[in-house]
mmCIF file of all heavy atoms in Angstrom:
data_model
loop_
_atom_site.group_PDB
_atom_site.id
_atom_site.type_symbol
_atom_site.label_atom_id
_atom_site.label_comp_id
_atom_site.label_asym_id
_atom_site.label_seq_id
_atom_site.Cartn_x
_atom_site.Cartn_y
_atom_site.Cartn_z
ATOM 1 N N THR A 31 29.207 -1.151 -6.099
ATOM 2 C CA THR A 31 29.793 0.036 -6.722
ATOM 3 C C THR A 31 30.298 1.034 -5.687
ATOM 4 O O THR A 31 31.370 1.603 -5.839
ATOM 5 C CB THR A 31 28.764 0.729 -7.648
ATOM 6 O OG1 THR A 31 28.327 -0.215 -8.622
ATOM 7 C CG2 THR A 31 29.359 1.951 -8.327
ATOM 8 N N TYR A 32 29.508 1.227 -4.625
ATOM 9 C CA TYR A 32 29.830 2.269 -3.646
ATOM 10 C C TYR A 32 30.459 1.730 -2.359
ATOM 11 O O TYR A 32 30.818 2.508 -1.482
ATOM 12 C CB TYR A 32 28.579 3.080 -3.311
ATOM 13 C CG TYR A 32 28.029 3.813 -4.509
ATOM 14 C CD1 TYR A 32 26.873 3.380 -5.143
ATOM 15 C CD2 TYR A 32 28.681 4.932 -5.025
ATOM 16 C CE1 TYR A 32 26.360 4.048 -6.245
ATOM 17 C CE2 TYR A 32 28.174 5.605 -6.122
ATOM 18 C CZ TYR A 32 27.022 5.163 -6.727
ATOM 19 O OH TYR A 32 26.523 5.825 -7.822
ATOM 20 N N GLY A 33 30.560 0.410 -2.225
ATOM 21 C CA GLY A 33 31.232 -0.166 -1.061
ATOM 22 C C GLY A 33 30.463 -0.103 0.242
ATOM 23 O O GLY A 33 31.056 -0.180 1.314
ATOM 24 N N ILE A 34 29.152 0.036 0.157
ATOM 25 C CA ILE A 34 28.321 0.014 1.373
ATOM 26 C C ILE A 34 28.227 -1.436 1.835
ATOM 27 O O ILE A 34 27.967 -2.335 1.043
ATOM 28 C CB ILE A 34 26.909 0.578 1.093
ATOM 29 C CG1 ILE A 34 26.990 2.024 0.591
ATOM 30 C CG2 ILE A 34 26.017 0.460 2.322
ATOM 31 C CD1 ILE A 34 27.519 3.029 1.567
ATOM 32 N N SER A 35 28.424 -1.672 3.121
ATOM 33 C CA SER A 35 28.397 -3.054 3.600
ATOM 34 C C SER A 35 26.957 -3.547 3.745
ATOM 35 O O SER A 35 26.058 -2.782 4.119
ATOM 36 C CB SER A 35 29.131 -3.185 4.936
ATOM 37 O OG SER A 35 28.364 -2.638 5.976
ATOM 38 N N PRO A 36 26.739 -4.817 3.463
ATOM 39 C CA PRO A 36 25.397 -5.395 3.623
ATOM 40 C C PRO A 36 24.874 -5.246 5.056
ATOM 41 O O PRO A 36 23.685 -5.044 5.260
ATOM 42 C CB PRO A 36 25.582 -6.864 3.256
ATOM 43 C CG PRO A 36 26.776 -6.878 2.360
ATOM 44 C CD PRO A 36 27.670 -5.779 2.869
ATOM 45 N N SER A 37 25.782 -5.293 6.033
ATOM 46 C CA SER A 37 25.339 -5.155 7.425
ATOM 47 C C SER A 37 24.790 -3.758 7.704
ATOM 48 O O SER A 37 23.847 -3.599 8.482
ATOM 49 C CB SER A 37 26.471 -5.494 8.398
ATOM 50 O OG SER A 37 27.543 -4.586 8.254
ATOM 51 N N GLN A 38 25.349 -2.737 7.053
ATOM 52 C CA GLN A 38 24.817 -1.378 7.226
ATOM 53 C C GLN A 38 23.422 -1.274 6.626
ATOM 54 O O GLN A 38 22.538 -0.644 7.210
ATOM 55 C CB GLN A 38 25.752 -0.342 6.589
ATOM 56 C CG GLN A 38 27.027 -0.119 7.344
ATOM 57 C CD GLN A 38 26.791 0.388 8.753
ATOM 58 O OE1 GLN A 38 25.914 1.202 9.016
ATOM 59 N NE2 GLN A 38 27.594 -0.092 9.674
ATOM 60 N N LEU A 39 23.219 -1.894 5.485
ATOM 61 C CA LEU A 39 21.889 -1.885 4.868
ATOM 62 C C LEU A 39 20.878 -2.595 5.763
ATOM 63 O O LEU A 39 19.746 -2.137 5.910
ATOM 64 C CB LEU A 39 21.927 -2.519 3.484
ATOM 65 C CG LEU A 39 22.646 -1.707 2.413
ATOM 66 C CD1 LEU A 39 22.761 -2.506 1.133
ATOM 67 C CD2 LEU A 39 21.946 -0.391 2.170
ATOM 68 N N THR A 40 21.288 -3.691 6.367
ATOM 69 C CA THR A 40 20.405 -4.424 7.285
ATOM 70 C C THR A 40 20.036 -3.550 8.474
ATOM 71 O O THR A 40 18.873 -3.490 8.876
ATOM 72 C CB THR A 40 21.073 -5.729 7.756
ATOM 73 O OG1 THR A 40 21.315 -6.550 6.612
ATOM 74 C CG2 THR A 40 20.200 -6.470 8.748
ATOM 75 N N ARG A 41 21.005 -2.855 9.041
ATOM 76 C CA ARG A 41 20.736 -1.960 10.186
ATOM 77 C C ARG A 41 19.752 -0.860 9.782
ATOM 78 O O ARG A 41 18.851 -0.514 10.548
ATOM 79 C CB ARG A 41 22.036 -1.364 10.709
ATOM 80 C CG ARG A 41 22.958 -2.402 11.349
ATOM 81 C CD ARG A 41 24.204 -1.779 11.942
ATOM 82 N NE ARG A 41 23.905 -0.898 13.061
ATOM 83 C CZ ARG A 41 23.600 -1.303 14.296
ATOM 84 N NH1 ARG A 41 23.563 -2.586 14.561
ATOM 85 N NH2 ARG A 41 23.345 -0.426 15.247
ATOM 86 N N LEU A 42 19.912 -0.319 8.588
ATOM 87 C CA LEU A 42 19.010 0.726 8.113
ATOM 88 C C LEU A 42 17.603 0.185 7.887
ATOM 89 O O LEU A 42 16.616 0.845 8.227
ATOM 90 C CB LEU A 42 19.559 1.357 6.833
ATOM 91 C CG LEU A 42 20.817 2.214 7.033
ATOM 92 C CD1 LEU A 42 21.547 2.408 5.722
ATOM 93 C CD2 LEU A 42 20.469 3.537 7.676
ATOM 94 N N LYS A 43 17.497 -1.014 7.352
ATOM 95 C CA LYS A 43 16.178 -1.628 7.143
ATOM 96 C C LYS A 43 15.452 -1.827 8.461
ATOM 97 O O LYS A 43 14.224 -1.723 8.518
ATOM 98 C CB LYS A 43 16.325 -2.994 6.464
ATOM 99 C CG LYS A 43 16.653 -2.932 5.007
ATOM 100 C CD LYS A 43 16.781 -4.341 4.455
ATOM 101 C CE LYS A 43 17.469 -4.354 3.128
ATOM 102 N NZ LYS A 43 17.739 -5.714 2.662
ATOM 103 N N ARG A 44 16.200 -2.117 9.504
ATOM 104 C CA ARG A 44 15.619 -2.369 10.832
ATOM 105 C C ARG A 44 15.487 -1.093 11.659
ATOM 106 O O ARG A 44 15.122 -1.145 12.831
ATOM 107 C CB ARG A 44 16.492 -3.370 11.585
ATOM 108 C CG ARG A 44 16.516 -4.734 10.940
ATOM 109 C CD ARG A 44 17.432 -5.649 11.694
ATOM 110 N NE ARG A 44 17.489 -6.966 11.062
ATOM 111 C CZ ARG A 44 18.370 -7.904 11.367
ATOM 112 N NH1 ARG A 44 19.294 -7.679 12.298
ATOM 113 N NH2 ARG A 44 18.336 -9.065 10.753
ATOM 114 N N ASN A 45 15.818 0.045 11.066
ATOM 115 C CA ASN A 45 15.794 1.340 11.760
ATOM 116 C C ASN A 45 16.662 1.318 13.009
ATOM 117 O O ASN A 45 16.320 1.908 14.036
ATOM 118 C CB ASN A 45 14.359 1.779 12.090
ATOM 119 C CG ASN A 45 13.579 2.115 10.851
ATOM 120 O OD1 ASN A 45 14.097 2.729 9.925
ATOM 121 N ND2 ASN A 45 12.331 1.696 10.805
ATOM 122 N N GLU A 46 17.812 0.654 12.909
ATOM 123 C CA GLU A 46 18.773 0.610 13.996
ATOM 124 C C GLU A 46 19.779 1.741 13.810
ATOM 125 O O GLU A 46 19.850 2.359 12.741
ATOM 126 C CB GLU A 46 19.488 -0.742 14.011
ATOM 127 C CG GLU A 46 18.557 -1.901 14.324
ATOM 128 C CD GLU A 46 19.237 -3.252 14.242
ATOM 129 O OE1 GLU A 46 20.380 -3.346 13.743
ATOM 130 O OE2 GLU A 46 18.602 -4.238 14.663
ATOM 131 N N GLY A 47 20.559 1.994 14.831
ATOM 132 C CA GLY A 47 21.523 3.076 14.780
ATOM 133 C C GLY A 47 22.652 2.830 13.794
ATOM 134 O O GLY A 47 23.139 1.709 13.664
ATOM 135 N N VAL A 48 23.035 3.872 13.092
ATOM 136 C CA VAL A 48 24.199 3.848 12.208
ATOM 137 C C VAL A 48 24.998 5.122 12.469
ATOM 138 O O VAL A 48 24.488 6.085 13.033
ATOM 139 C CB VAL A 48 23.814 3.758 10.707
ATOM 140 C CG1 VAL A 48 23.139 2.448 10.397
ATOM 141 C CG2 VAL A 48 22.945 4.916 10.287
ATOM 142 N N SER A 49 26.238 5.129 12.052
ATOM 143 C CA SER A 49 27.095 6.282 12.299
ATOM 144 C C SER A 49 26.723 7.462 11.400
ATOM 145 O O SER A 49 26.126 7.280 10.333
ATOM 146 C CB SER A 49 28.560 5.912 12.067
ATOM 147 O OG SER A 49 28.812 5.732 10.694
ATOM 148 N N THR A 50 27.119 8.637 11.847
ATOM 149 C CA THR A 50 26.898 9.819 11.011
ATOM 150 C C THR A 50 27.742 9.727 9.749
ATOM 151 O O THR A 50 27.365 10.279 8.714
ATOM 152 C CB THR A 50 27.215 11.119 11.767
ATOM 153 O OG1 THR A 50 28.538 11.032 12.313
ATOM 154 C CG2 THR A 50 26.214 11.357 12.884
ATOM 155 N N ASN A 51 28.856 9.018 9.812
ATOM 156 C CA ASN A 51 29.670 8.795 8.624
ATOM 157 C C ASN A 51 28.870 8.042 7.562
ATOM 158 O O ASN A 51 28.922 8.371 6.373
ATOM 159 C CB ASN A 51 30.939 8.020 8.995
ATOM 160 C CG ASN A 51 31.877 7.867 7.824
ATOM 161 O OD1 ASN A 51 32.204 8.838 7.163
ATOM 162 N ND2 ASN A 51 32.296 6.648 7.577
ATOM 163 N N THR A 52 28.123 7.029 7.986
ATOM 164 C CA THR A 52 27.290 6.253 7.060
ATOM 165 C C THR A 52 26.211 7.140 6.444
ATOM 166 O O THR A 52 25.986 7.105 5.238
ATOM 167 C CB THR A 52 26.647 5.049 7.775
ATOM 168 O OG1 THR A 52 27.690 4.193 8.247
ATOM 169 C CG2 THR A 52 25.726 4.275 6.860
ATOM 170 N N ILE A 53 25.571 7.949 7.266
ATOM 171 C CA ILE A 53 24.536 8.859 6.761
ATOM 172 C C ILE A 53 25.144 9.840 5.762
ATOM 173 O O ILE A 53 24.584 10.087 4.690
ATOM 174 C CB ILE A 53 23.848 9.619 7.920
ATOM 175 C CG1 ILE A 53 23.152 8.642 8.872
ATOM 176 C CG2 ILE A 53 22.870 10.665 7.396
ATOM 177 C CD1 ILE A 53 22.088 7.784 8.227
ATOM 178 N N GLY A 54 26.298 10.368 6.098
ATOM 179 C CA GLY A 54 26.984 11.294 5.197
ATOM 180 C C GLY A 54 27.331 10.650 3.868
ATOM 181 O O GLY A 54 27.208 11.273 2.807
ATOM 182 N N ARG A 55 27.746 9.417 3.924
ATOM 183 C CA ARG A 55 28.086 8.669 2.691
ATOM 184 C C ARG A 55 26.871 8.521 1.792
ATOM 185 O O ARG A 55 26.952 8.718 0.584
ATOM 186 C CB ARG A 55 28.645 7.308 3.082
ATOM 187 C CG ARG A 55 29.105 6.479 1.955
ATOM 188 C CD ARG A 55 30.603 6.632 1.722
ATOM 189 N NE ARG A 55 31.063 5.568 0.834
ATOM 190 C CZ ARG A 55 31.139 5.707 -0.484
ATOM 191 N NH1 ARG A 55 30.813 6.852 -1.035
ATOM 192 N NH2 ARG A 55 31.540 4.721 -1.243
ATOM 193 N N PHE A 56 25.725 8.199 2.398
ATOM 194 C CA PHE A 56 24.497 8.083 1.609
ATOM 195 C C PHE A 56 24.108 9.423 1.000
ATOM 196 O O PHE A 56 23.663 9.476 -0.144
ATOM 197 C CB PHE A 56 23.351 7.523 2.457
ATOM 198 C CG PHE A 56 23.330 6.025 2.504
ATOM 199 C CD1 PHE A 56 23.895 5.341 3.563
ATOM 200 C CD2 PHE A 56 22.756 5.290 1.480
ATOM 201 C CE1 PHE A 56 23.893 3.960 3.604
ATOM 202 C CE2 PHE A 56 22.743 3.902 1.503
ATOM 203 C CZ PHE A 56 23.318 3.237 2.575
ATOM 204 N N CYS A 57 24.285 10.496 1.748
ATOM 205 C CA CYS A 57 23.968 11.830 1.213
ATOM 206 C C CYS A 57 24.860 12.150 0.007
ATOM 207 O O CYS A 57 24.391 12.731 -0.977
ATOM 208 C CB CYS A 57 24.119 12.888 2.293
ATOM 209 S SG CYS A 57 22.837 12.814 3.555
ATOM 210 N N GLU A 58 26.138 11.759 0.076
ATOM 211 C CA GLU A 58 27.045 11.974 -1.057
ATOM 212 C C GLU A 58 26.612 11.139 -2.260
ATOM 213 O O GLU A 58 26.539 11.648 -3.377
ATOM 214 C CB GLU A 58 28.472 11.576 -0.676
ATOM 215 C CG GLU A 58 29.146 12.522 0.267
ATOM 216 C CD GLU A 58 30.535 12.036 0.672
ATOM 217 O OE1 GLU A 58 31.126 11.198 -0.048
ATOM 218 O OE2 GLU A 58 31.022 12.486 1.711
ATOM 219 N N ILE A 59 26.345 9.865 -2.029
ATOM 220 C CA ILE A 59 25.965 8.959 -3.119
ATOM 221 C C ILE A 59 24.685 9.417 -3.796
ATOM 222 O O ILE A 59 24.581 9.432 -5.017
ATOM 223 C CB ILE A 59 25.802 7.521 -2.587
ATOM 224 C CG1 ILE A 59 27.151 6.945 -2.147
ATOM 225 C CG2 ILE A 59 25.143 6.615 -3.628
ATOM 226 C CD1 ILE A 59 27.053 5.678 -1.315
ATOM 227 N N LEU A 60 23.697 9.808 -2.982
ATOM 228 C CA LEU A 60 22.375 10.135 -3.500
ATOM 229 C C LEU A 60 22.196 11.621 -3.816
ATOM 230 O O LEU A 60 21.145 12.021 -4.306
ATOM 231 C CB LEU A 60 21.306 9.686 -2.502
ATOM 232 C CG LEU A 60 21.301 8.187 -2.203
ATOM 233 C CD1 LEU A 60 20.353 7.879 -1.060
ATOM 234 C CD2 LEU A 60 20.925 7.398 -3.441
ATOM 235 N N ASP A 61 23.212 12.428 -3.503
ATOM 236 C CA ASP A 61 23.141 13.875 -3.704
ATOM 237 C C ASP A 61 21.862 14.431 -3.074
ATOM 238 O O ASP A 61 21.016 15.032 -3.753
ATOM 239 C CB ASP A 61 23.208 14.210 -5.196
ATOM 240 C CG ASP A 61 23.372 15.698 -5.439
ATOM 241 O OD1 ASP A 61 23.958 16.388 -4.576
ATOM 242 O OD2 ASP A 61 22.887 16.183 -6.479
ATOM 243 N N CYS A 62 21.731 14.185 -1.774
ATOM 244 C CA CYS A 62 20.535 14.619 -1.053
ATOM 245 C C CYS A 62 20.932 15.115 0.334
ATOM 246 O O CYS A 62 22.099 15.055 0.714
ATOM 247 C CB CYS A 62 19.528 13.471 -0.949
ATOM 248 S SG CYS A 62 20.081 12.099 0.076
ATOM 249 N N SER A 63 19.970 15.589 1.092
ATOM 250 C CA SER A 63 20.239 16.042 2.455
ATOM 251 C C SER A 63 19.820 14.959 3.446
ATOM 252 O O SER A 63 19.084 14.026 3.107
ATOM 253 C CB SER A 63 19.497 17.345 2.740
ATOM 254 O OG SER A 63 18.112 17.111 2.778
ATOM 255 N N VAL A 64 20.273 15.119 4.675
ATOM 256 C CA VAL A 64 19.971 14.161 5.734
ATOM 257 C C VAL A 64 18.463 14.005 5.909
ATOM 258 O O VAL A 64 17.952 12.885 6.054
ATOM 259 C CB VAL A 64 20.629 14.602 7.061
ATOM 260 C CG1 VAL A 64 20.185 13.731 8.221
ATOM 261 C CG2 VAL A 64 22.136 14.586 6.939
ATOM 262 N N SER A 65 17.738 15.095 5.856
ATOM 263 C CA SER A 65 16.281 15.041 6.060
ATOM 264 C C SER A 65 15.559 14.283 4.950
ATOM 265 O O SER A 65 14.420 13.864 5.136
ATOM 266 C CB SER A 65 15.702 16.445 6.202
ATOM 267 O OG SER A 65 15.922 17.193 5.028
ATOM 268 N N ASP A 66 16.223 14.083 3.814
ATOM 269 C CA ASP A 66 15.618 13.302 2.731
ATOM 270 C C ASP A 66 15.635 11.807 3.029
ATOM 271 O O ASP A 66 14.803 11.071 2.509
ATOM 272 C CB ASP A 66 16.356 13.533 1.407
ATOM 273 C CG ASP A 66 16.188 14.943 0.881
ATOM 274 O OD1 ASP A 66 15.142 15.557 1.147
ATOM 275 O OD2 ASP A 66 17.121 15.425 0.201
ATOM 276 N N ILE A 67 16.582 11.373 3.858
ATOM 277 C CA ILE A 67 16.732 9.929 4.066
ATOM 278 C C ILE A 67 16.412 9.451 5.472
ATOM 279 O O ILE A 67 16.224 8.259 5.688
ATOM 280 C CB ILE A 67 18.147 9.450 3.669
ATOM 281 C CG1 ILE A 67 19.235 10.128 4.488
ATOM 282 C CG2 ILE A 67 18.377 9.654 2.184
ATOM 283 C CD1 ILE A 67 20.630 9.595 4.233
#
């Protein structure tokens, strides 16, 4: 639905680095702040 790539989810599961753009996208989708995620 939101076009998040499976590779980004894998990086997040492994606590690897992701771009601030990716973090911002999650904040938009989830209507939350960075500190929530």
Side-chain angles (χ1 to χ4, degrees):
T31 303
Y32 297 106
I34 300 295
S35 74
S37 63
Q38 287 299 321
L39 290 173
T40 299
R41 293 184 65 77
L42 290 161
K43 285 180 196 173
R44 295 178 181 168
N45 292 320
E46 295 176 349
V48 295
S49 71
T50 53
N51 185 51
T52 298
I53 299 301
R55 183 95 166 93
F56 274 97
C57 289
E58 288 177 21
I59 292 166
L60 300 172
D61 190 29
C62 67
S63 68
V64 172
S65 62
D66 293 330
I67 60 174

